[in-house]
Amino acid sequence: MLDLTTVVDTVELEQILTLQQQNLVQNIDEIEMQTQGFVTMIHNIDVLQRMHDLAPSVIAKDNGRVVGYALVMLRECRELFPPLEPMFKNFDNLEYRDRPLNDYRFYVMGQVCIDKQYRRTGLFDQLYKKHKEIYENRFDFIMTEVSTRNQRSLRAHERVGFEILNTYSDELDEWAVILWNWK
Ligand SMILES: CC(C)(COP(=O)(O)OP(=O)(O)OC[C@H]1O[C@@H](n2cnc3c(N)ncnc32)[C@H](O)[C@@H]1OP(=O)(O)O)[C@@H](O)C(=O)NCCC(=O)NCCS
């Protein structure tokens, strides 16, 4: 049975990196990229550990192996992970419901990925349900961004309840900036 939980040790962080490698845009072919989705950002164990020290990420485990993850990245991590600086810069200029976005209590879902064999099972929704369960008292909502080329991920996020706030481009891609207001 799948265990929906939060990270507790380094082995799990390493397993997250393994799953990440398997789904990196440069490690899969064009058809897989278009149909299954892909991840762009590469973390390392040190960054994951420091993110974890601030707030543990949500994972799904099957028989002791991480088969899905949805990372928690607090805004305090901004300096920790420079590839996401364009995202945070974009946040600085955004408004939500007539107030500056940065006035709200939110965190970033840093990356979501599900092992191929566990897709189309409802696990995606469960990962986010767990986020809500753990973090809804401390935060108003979750932000994240998804490549506009990743239609599978965009559809799944929309189903959970994410809305698009804006779209912008940086040197890596064009991103849909999305927000899930779980109140
Ligand atoms: C993006 C990703 C996390 C989405 O997870 P998923 O399990 O594939 O997504 P879904 O839950 O939407 O499942 C895909 C389809 O199965 C359907 N489905 C979901 N749960 C189901 C269930 N229990 N039974 C039958 N079908 C189901 C969904 O409705 C969806 O249908 P659609 O494509 O017609 O909309 C996953 O595909 C993935 O890890 N891809 C590679 C990495 C990636 O793209 N990460 C996101 C970066 S932003």
Side-chain angles (χ1 to χ4, degrees):
M1 219 188 79
L2 278 189
D3 186 17
L4 257 291
T5 183
T6 48
V7 168
V8 291
D9 62 32
T10 316
V11 173
E12 291 163 344
L13 296 179
E14 279 161 359
Q15 292 181 356
I16 288 172
L17 292 181
T18 302
L19 196 49
Q20 180 178 77
Q21 279 295 326
Q22 288 162 358
N23 290 280
L24 275 177
V25 63
Q26 57 268 46
N27 292 344
I28 59 178
D29 63 33
E30 185 74 20
I31 292 179
E32 176 163 351
M33 187 192 120
Q34 283 172 13
T35 58
Q36 298 283 319
F38 58 92
V39 296
T40 306
M41 299 297 167
I42 305 175
H43 300 78
N44 62 38
I45 202 78
D46 183 46
V47 167
L48 281 191
Q49 184 66 54
R50 293 214 259 163
M51 282 163 59
H52 170 73
D53 292 343
L54 292 170
S57 290
V58 174
I59 51 174
K61 295 180 82 172
D62 191 8
N63 263 321
R65 182 172 73 91
V66 174
V67 297
Y69 63 81
L71 304 181
V72 177
M73 178 174 256
L74 301 194
R75 285 149 76 188
E76 291 87 325
C77 297
R78 182 170 180 163
E79 257 113 73
L80 198 69
F81 195 59
L84 282 181
E85 180 54 25
M87 177 189 75
F88 283 111
K89 232 182 216 146
N90 181 52
F91 288 172
D92 292 343
N93 297 317
L94 287 182
E95 288 197 345
Y96 178 63
R97 296 188 178 166
D98 299 325
R99 273 175 59 197
L101 183 73
N102 285 336
D103 282 3
Y104 291 91
R105 300 175 307 159
F106 70 88
Y107 67 93
V108 175
M109 195 296 298
Q111 188 171 72
V112 56
C113 190
I114 295 174
D115 184 288
K116 252 189 204 164
Q117 289 175 349
Y118 296 81
R119 290 177 193 163
R120 308 187 74 95
T121 61
L123 180 53
F124 184 85
D125 300 52
Q126 285 174 272
L127 287 169
Y128 274 115
K129 195 168 155 230
K130 193 75 181 173
H131 269 262
K132 181 170 190 282
E133 194 183 303
I134 300 172
Y135 291 108
E136 73 177 329
N137 291 334
R138 286 171 57 195
F139 299 95
D140 300 319
F141 50 74
I142 307 187
M143 298 291 305
T144 192
E145 59 180 17
V146 177
S147 162
T148 54
R149 296 180 296 150
N150 194 342
Q151 286 300 315
R152 183 166 182 148
S153 177
L154 281 173
R155 270 203 311 277
H157 280 91
E158 195 183 353
R159 192 187 57 236
V160 165
F162 278 85
E163 53 191 292
I164 296 184
L165 225 60
N166 87 327
T167 302
Y168 79 100
S169 297
D170 63 13
E171 59 185 20
L172 291 174
D173 215 330
E174 181 185 71
W175 304 99
V177 177
I178 59 177
L179 177 157
W180 180 30
N181 187 341
W182 51 32
K183 294 272 175 243

